[in-house]
């Protein structure tokens, strides 16, 4: 980890997260049944329904909830969600977990931006109708509905109605506040934002029980929303851990093609890869059956993002430019021995940024114009099984998520901690 000390020192705007408090995952079933307030009737049907009005593959906390309910409470678990990214194989292969995929109303994306408020209302109506069909008809009656918030509208309304009709507990897992996300695009004083907040507050208070991700959110819910929530800290599952040397070598062999193709420029990493033998990767080398880390490998910095306005990657690009200039300045006029020492203190950096989202192309364009000599960027999308291995192989994690409410903690940080990875992050209220 010594290779990255200089980077973490340069990113002055980041807060270095070094520890966290986590609720044991074995207590999840007990905590959620306590939150539901219906311990006496839990298990009557032996079934739970997890509702995610979003891409299940990009909702790790809800996937882990489903696994906990199936493994620890021995429930049959129905997940109602949108498709898109592939969930983790532990979810896909569990015999007690059943995924029900809803179709997304993609045609709404074709409507002009001037009709955005109308599009929002039409989208909510279509989603509401679809949720009612799945929760009232397609999914067997559960003991408990567990719903992710946000989005709040129409999710909380549909799930509340379904829970009343099917005589089931209604538990909300508060990840953030939906109205604050809507305010990012419409502004806090917009009428639709005020209406959204009213629905979120009204139906949120009607839940049988609530979970939330931080004590700061618990306090906000209690003081200003009239909601008594139990804090359930995220804890990474067992597959988030430091990667073994063999796993690292196999991973970098699989992603070698992705690493070979820079973002529109020929950089320091593409130059190194051109001279590699079949038995080596950018970070490892294999001799017979022995695998070892290269002494002069680049430092690997990993960040995952949905490429949305609440993550300002301009901060990271500024830090990369600062680092590149620092290394270049220290190398000028140095002899061979001094350069070798500088390479140990200030190695070349490879930033791998994973994820999909609307601002990806914009930032890729900015990266092309940086003309860096000692820093390289790669953007990619990894399989669910490869992402933990990448985190477990890295030297430093970066999280630039800025909460719209200031009260939620990104799951990505917890996953990085699970892999023993130090994290440079914006500050959060826990």
């Amino acid at each position: 980890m010594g290779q990255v000390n200089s980077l973490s020192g340069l990113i002055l705007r980041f807060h270095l997260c070094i520890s966290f408090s986590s609720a044991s995952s074995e207590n999840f079933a007990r905590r959620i049944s306590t939150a539901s307030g219906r311990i006496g009737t839990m298990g009557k049907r032996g079934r739970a329904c997890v509702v995610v009005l979003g891409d299940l593959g990009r909702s790790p906390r809800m996937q882990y909830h489903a696994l906990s309910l199936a493994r620890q409470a021995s429930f049959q678990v129905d997940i109602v969600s949108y498709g898109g990214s592939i969930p983790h194989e532990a979810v896909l292969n569990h015999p007690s977990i059943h995924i029900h995929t809803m179709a997304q109303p993609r045609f709404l994306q074709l409507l002009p931006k001037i009709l955005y408020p109308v599009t929002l209302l039409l989208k909510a109506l279509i989603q509401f109708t679809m949720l009612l069909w799945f929760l009232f008809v397609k999914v067997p009656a559960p003991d408990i509905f567990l719903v992710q918030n946000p989005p709040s509208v129409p999710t909380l309304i549909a799930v509340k109605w379904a829970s009343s009709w099917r005589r089931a507990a209604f538990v909300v897992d508060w990840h953030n506040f939906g109205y604050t996300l809507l305010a990012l695009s419409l502004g806090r004083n917009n009428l639709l934002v005020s209406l959204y907040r009213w629905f979120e507050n009204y139906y949120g208070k009607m839940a049988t029980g609530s979970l939330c991700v931080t004590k700061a959110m618990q306090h906000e819910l209690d003081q200003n929303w009239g909601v008594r929530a139990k804090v359930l800290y995220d804890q990474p599952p067992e597959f988030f851990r430091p990667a073994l040397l063999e796993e690292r070598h196999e991973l970098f062999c699989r992603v070698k093609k992705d690493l070979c193709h820079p973002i529109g420029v020929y950089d320091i990493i593409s130059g190194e890869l051109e001279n590699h033998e079949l038995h080596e990767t950018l970070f490892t080398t294999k001799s017979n059956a022995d695998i070892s880390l290269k002494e002069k490998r680049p430092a690997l910095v990993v960040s995952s993002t949905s490429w949305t306005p609440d993550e300002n990657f301009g901060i990271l690009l500024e830090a990369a430019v600062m680092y590149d200039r620092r290394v270049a300045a220290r190398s000028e006029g140095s002899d061979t021995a001094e350069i070798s020492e500088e390479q140990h203190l200030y190695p070349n950096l490879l930033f791998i940024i994973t994820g999909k989202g609307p601002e990806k192309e914009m930032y890729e364009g900015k990266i092309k114009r940086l003309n860096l000599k000692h820093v390289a960027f790669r953007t990619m999308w990894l399989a669910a099984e490869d992402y933990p291995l990448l985190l477990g192989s890295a030297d430093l994690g970066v999280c630039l998520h800025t909460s719209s409410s200031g009260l939620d903690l990104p799951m990505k940080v917890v996953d990085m901690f699970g892999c023993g990875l130090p994290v440079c992050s914006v500050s959060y209220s826990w």
Side-chain angles (χ1 to χ4, degrees):
M1 297 299 177
Q3 288 186 338
V4 299
N5 288 342
S6 52
L7 175 68
S8 57
L10 284 171
I11 308 180
L12 299 178
R13 303 187 193 187
F14 292 168
H15 171 67
L16 181 62
C17 305
I18 56 175
S19 63
F20 74 105
S21 173
S22 172
S24 173
S25 61
E26 281 77 9
N27 294 329
F28 173 75
R30 175 179 58 81
R31 283 172 175 260
I32 198 169
S33 58
T34 302
S36 73
R38 297 179 58 163
I39 301 175
T41 59
M42 288 284 290
K44 179 177 63 176
R45 300 166 179 143
R47 202 166 198 102
C49 180
V50 176
V51 183
V52 181
L53 194 63
D55 184 343
L56 178 61
R58 298 169 69 178
S59 304
R61 180 175 166 100
M62 302 309 287
Q63 291 185 61
Y64 306 154
H65 285 346
L67 282 170
S68 296
L69 286 166
R71 290 172 174 174
Q72 296 154 24
S74 300
F75 273 35
Q76 293 292 317
V77 181
D78 297 291
I79 302 177
V80 176
S81 69
Y82 286 137
S85 307
I86 301 175
H88 196 276
E89 62 179 8
V91 175
L92 294 174
N93 296 336
H94 200 289
S96 297
I97 297 179
H98 317 281
I99 300 175
H100 307 264
T101 304
M102 299 183 294
Q104 297 196 48
R106 298 188 183 278
F107 72 91
L108 295 175
Q109 299 174 2
L110 303 176
L111 296 178
K113 290 185 178 180
I114 195 173
L115 297 177
Y116 184 64
V118 177
T119 302
L120 285 178
L121 294 174
L122 185 58
K123 180 179 180 181
L125 180 60
I126 294 172
Q127 290 174 330
F128 183 63
T129 304
M130 194 172 300
L131 279 170
L132 292 182
W133 168 251
F134 275 82
L135 302 183
F136 275 73
V137 180
K138 293 203 69 175
V139 173
D143 295 290
I144 179 171
F145 283 101
L146 173 61
V147 58
Q148 170 185 297
N149 184 72
S152 315
V153 179
T155 324
L156 297 185
I157 306 169
V159 176
K160 171 56 185 173
W161 287 15
S163 66
S164 298
W165 178 259
R166 311 196 84 166
R167 304 179 65 82
F170 167 35
V171 176
V172 179
D173 188 19
W174 296 82
H175 296 193
N176 200 350
F177 294 113
Y179 82 94
T180 63
L181 294 172
L182 185 62
L184 291 176
S185 56
L186 297 181
R188 288 264 179 165
N189 297 323
N190 187 278
L191 179 61
L192 283 178
V193 174
S194 300
L195 186 62
Y196 195 104
R197 189 187 189 282
W198 184 87
F199 274 107
E200 187 171 18
N201 187 2
Y202 182 78
Y203 281 93
K205 288 192 293 188
M206 296 177 73
T208 317
S210 296
L211 303 170
C212 63
V213 293
T214 62
K215 288 184 178 178
M217 181 171 285
Q218 181 189 44
H219 182 266
E220 171 68 15
L221 286 167
D222 183 43
Q223 296 297 312
N224 299 319
W225 291 64
V227 173
R228 301 295 298 272
K230 292 184 177 293
V231 178
L232 186 71
Y233 286 121
D234 286 319
Q235 180 175 3
E238 66 277 1
F239 42 79
F240 281 95
R241 54 173 176 74
L244 303 174
L245 269 178
E246 183 178 358
E247 292 174 325
R248 295 186 188 192
H249 185 77
E250 292 175 353
L251 171 67
F252 293 125
C253 283
R254 287 196 297 273
V255 302
K256 192 171 184 178
K257 289 183 178 180
D258 295 307
L259 297 178
C260 285
H261 298 289
I263 304 173
V265 293
Y266 183 87
D267 57 27
I268 187 68
I269 298 301
S270 50
E272 286 189 34
L273 287 171
E274 283 184 354
N275 301 318
H276 278 180
E277 303 292 339
L278 291 175
H279 63 274
E280 63 179 332
T281 71
L282 196 59
F283 302 92
T284 59
T285 183
K286 185 174 184 179
S287 177
N288 297 323
D290 297 326
I291 299 173
S292 59
L293 289 172
K294 288 183 174 179
E295 184 176 347
K296 293 184 177 181
R297 65 189 183 277
L300 177 57
V301 185
V302 175
S303 183
S304 62
T305 178
S306 54
W307 297 104
T308 51
D310 59 0
E311 293 186 79
N312 181 11
F313 265 85
I315 299 174
L316 187 62
L317 301 190
E318 290 176 16
V321 171
M322 291 169 62
Y323 183 91
D324 194 73
R325 290 175 179 172
R326 173 73 65 88
V327 177
R330 293 179 69 96
S331 299
E332 287 181 4
S334 302
D335 58 30
T336 304
E338 290 175 333
I339 291 176
S340 178
E341 178 65 20
E342 292 293 333
Q343 287 177 341
H344 177 72
L345 294 174
Y346 295 93
N348 292 329
L349 297 184
L350 172 60
F351 288 89
I352 295 182
I353 306 173
T354 69
K356 301 175 182 177
E359 294 192 345
K360 180 180 178 181
E361 290 185 2
M362 180 190 75
Y363 278 109
E364 286 181 338
K366 291 183 177 182
I367 292 169
K368 291 178 185 179
R369 297 189 291 270
L370 291 180
N371 192 28
L372 302 173
K373 294 180 173 59
H374 301 279
V375 180
F377 284 85
R378 297 293 184 272
T379 58
M380 60 179 67
W381 179 258
L382 294 172
E385 290 70 41
D386 282 341
Y387 177 64
L389 295 177
L390 179 65
L391 295 186
S393 304
D395 297 295
L396 182 69
V398 172
C399 176
L400 294 168
H401 173 82
T402 52
S403 168
S404 60
S405 65
L407 301 172
D408 65 311
L409 177 69
M411 186 71 198
K412 68 186 81 175
V413 173
V414 182
D415 293 338
M416 290 174 180
F417 284 150
C419 293
L421 192 60
V423 180
C424 282
S425 168
V426 294
S427 182
Y428 293 96
S429 298
W430 291 52

